[in-house]
Amino acid sequence: QVQLVESGGGLVHTGGSLRLSCAASGGIFSSYYMGWFRQAPGKEREFVACIQWGTGRTKYTDSVKGRFTISRDNAKTTIYLQMSSLKPEDTATYYCAIDTYGLGNQVEGIEYWGKGTLVTVSS
């Protein structure tokens, strides 16, 4: 059983930066994708970014390309999401997630979820 614990959310002004962290406990296999999804009030949960644990291959949704960077620390079994040039539309609860057999960017493929951390970007 894998458990995920997020940290790093908070309130930031437009144009600011935040770094989210997600620490995983339990076995992480090289084929797994770890990543981030977000859900704004009244909206569906959506993919943000993911990284394949073994290769380090990354994927991003178009709206965050060039602004967000996902990375991993194998020794700490932790992933990070460095968010820069934040916009009010980035405001959401950000969830850490693990996809054990899919492509990492589909809500339906996620087997493990964290509890989420709130990011609020003020205008």
Side-chain angles (χ1 to χ4, degrees):
Q1 185 74 11
V2 176
Q3 292 186 327
L4 304 172
V5 178
E6 305 102 331
S7 61
L11 173 65
V12 65
H13 292 298
T14 297
S17 298
L18 279 176
R19 189 178 81 154
L20 306 183
S21 301
C22 173
S25 62
I28 305 297
F29 293 96
S30 60
S31 60
Y32 288 5
Y33 279 95
M34 283 188 70
W36 297 92
F37 289 71
R38 66 186 179 186
Q39 188 166 19
K43 295 188 177 181
E44 294 185 351
R45 193 167 297 191
E46 65 174 2
F47 168 73
V48 177
C50 67
I51 186 166
Q52 190 175 37
W53 197 252
T55 65
R57 180 189 178 196
T58 59
K59 300 179 183 179
Y60 297 91
T61 193
D62 286 346
S63 64
V64 308
K65 287 179 180 177
R67 301 189 298 122
F68 291 11
T69 302
I70 190 169
S71 61
R72 75 194 194 289
D73 184 327
N74 293 52
K76 296 181 179 179
T77 326
T78 298
I79 61 169
Y80 305 94
L81 187 68
Q82 179 66 48
M83 306 185 292
S84 303
S85 302
L86 283 161
K87 306 175 182 179
E89 51 263 44
D90 294 317
T91 294
T93 297
Y94 284 69
Y95 295 92
C96 182
I98 289 181
D99 186 332
T100 61
Y101 66 91
L103 300 177
N105 58 0
Q106 303 294 320
V107 171
E108 296 77 12
I110 299 302
E111 184 167 354
Y112 300 105
W113 292 99
K115 293 183 178 180
T117 184
L118 179 62
V119 172
T120 303
V121 184
S122 64
S123 58

